[in-house]
Amino acid sequence: MLLLFTGVFFVHAQKEKVKNQPYIDNRLIHLGFFVGMHIQDMVLRNSGYVAENGESWFAEIPSYAPGFSVGLISDLYLNRYMSLRFSPLLAFGEKKFSYKEANSEQTFSTQVRSTYLTLPIDLRLNSMRLNNYRPYILAGVYGAFDLGRKKDQPILLKGTDFGIQIGLGCDFYMPLFKFCPEIRFSFGLLDLIEKDRSGIQDKQNLKYTEALSSGKSRMISLIFNFE
């Protein structure tokens, strides 16, 4: 709502200029694509598990590695200020896990690489258009499927996730297309730590799974839409 009020204020405060593609937003359906960067994170809960040898490991994600995203856009016009958006994407990235043993100086680090196919549906709320730009916000839900899991790893994440996302951005109307930078925040709702490790080869690595009670995904994305 704040963006809508801000749009109204600027419409009255600034002079009208020649508009690029004045009717592009009136199409029932329009298509596009996007590329972007992101960082993957997880909210970890340690279980306090103590192994038979007395070791107790605690995990965190100490740093973030940038990832890459690419996807398609299909946007359904609802009214002047609302549209429904389906934007499937592929996200390539990794998460770094760092462990520390509570009773000694031992440490252990590993990383989990993921290739997520994400299927989000978002409701997009647009402000009034001011000359050749228009801010917006969006919110929706998504399902994600990890296409690149390697099961014989110290930490294994589940292959499916579900969550909510919110974002904000701005349409810039160019002579031939719309350019729309956007920042998006994604919050997974499911515990992704795979507890069933019956297929793991090195049983010594089971303690790293047992040390975690749960882990939920988080992601921040900077996206550049072309429509």
Side-chain angles (χ1 to χ4, degrees), residues 89-101:
L89 67 93
L90 279 175
F92 307 88
E94 65 181 26
K95 305 175 185 70
K96 297 182 179 180
F97 292 77
S98 178
Y99 284 82
K100 182 177 293 186
E101 206 281 312

Side-chain angles (χ1 to χ4, degrees), residues 3-221:
L3 285 176
L4 295 178
F5 287 125
T6 302
V8 171
F9 173 79
F10 279 111
V11 164
H12 290 287
Q14 297 194 18
K15 295 181 179 179
E16 190 77 12
K17 296 181 180 179
V18 175
K19 293 182 179 180
N20 295 324
Q21 304 189 77
Y23 305 111
I24 187 173
D25 295 321
N26 295 332
R27 298 175 182 173
L28 178 61
I29 297 175
H30 70 262
L31 306 176
F33 70 93
F34 63 87
V35 295
M37 302 173 291
H38 67 263
I39 53 174
Q40 297 183 18
D41 188 18
M42 293 195 76
V43 177
L44 301 178
R45 291 183 60 188
N46 290 283
S47 65
Y49 168 78
V50 179
E52 293 181 357
N53 60 2
E55 291 182 353
S56 183
W57 292 84
F58 294 86
E60 63 177 356
I61 296 182
S63 61
Y64 309 113
F68 175 74
S69 303
V70 61
L72 301 174
I73 299 168
S74 58
D75 194 273
L76 175 65
Y77 177 88
L78 299 178
N79 59 47
R80 185 178 180 183
Y81 300 110
M82 299 174 60
S83 64
L84 192 64
R85 174 162 293 205
F86 177 59
S87 51
L89 67 93
L90 279 175
F92 307 88
E94 65 181 26
K95 305 175 185 70
K96 297 182 179 180
F97 292 77
S98 178
Y99 284 82
K100 182 177 293 186
E101 206 281 312
N103 304 311
S104 68
E105 298 298 322
Q106 295 183 72
T107 60
F108 174 78
S109 297
T110 187
Q111 60 187 21
V112 177
R113 292 188 174 90
S114 301
T115 301
Y116 283 109
L117 171 62
T118 304
L119 305 174
I121 298 179
D122 299 299
L123 180 65
R124 196 177 113 147
L125 304 178
N126 307 302
S127 74
M128 294 181 65
R129 176 174 174 174
L130 172 62
N131 296 324
N132 285 314
Y133 65 90
R134 181 181 63 165
Y136 64 86
I137 59 175
L138 59 81
V141 298
Y142 68 87
F145 307 89
D146 190 350
L147 306 180
R149 292 203 311 161
K150 294 183 179 180
K151 295 187 176 181
D152 190 30
Q153 299 290 323
I155 295 296
L156 179 63
L157 302 183
K158 295 177 181 178
T160 58
D161 194 12
F162 173 80
I164 60 175
Q165 63 183 19
I166 58 174
L168 56 92
C170 187
D171 293 335
F172 291 91
Y173 294 80
M174 305 300 181
L176 299 179
F177 61 91
K178 283 199 305 182
F179 172 62
C180 317
E182 176 186 313
I183 187 167
R184 186 181 298 174
F185 304 90
S186 304
F187 306 92
L189 301 178
L190 304 182
D191 175 19
L192 293 186
I193 305 300
E194 180 62 76
K195 303 300 195 305
D196 180 8
R197 303 304 312 277
S198 56
I200 193 171
Q201 296 182 7
D202 188 352
K203 301 301 182 181
Q204 293 295 323
N205 287 333
L206 284 174
K207 57 189 176 184
Y208 302 122
T209 296
E210 296 289 350
L212 291 173
S213 174
S214 66
K216 296 182 179 181
S217 65
R218 299 289 187 269
M219 188 161 68
I220 302 176
S221 306

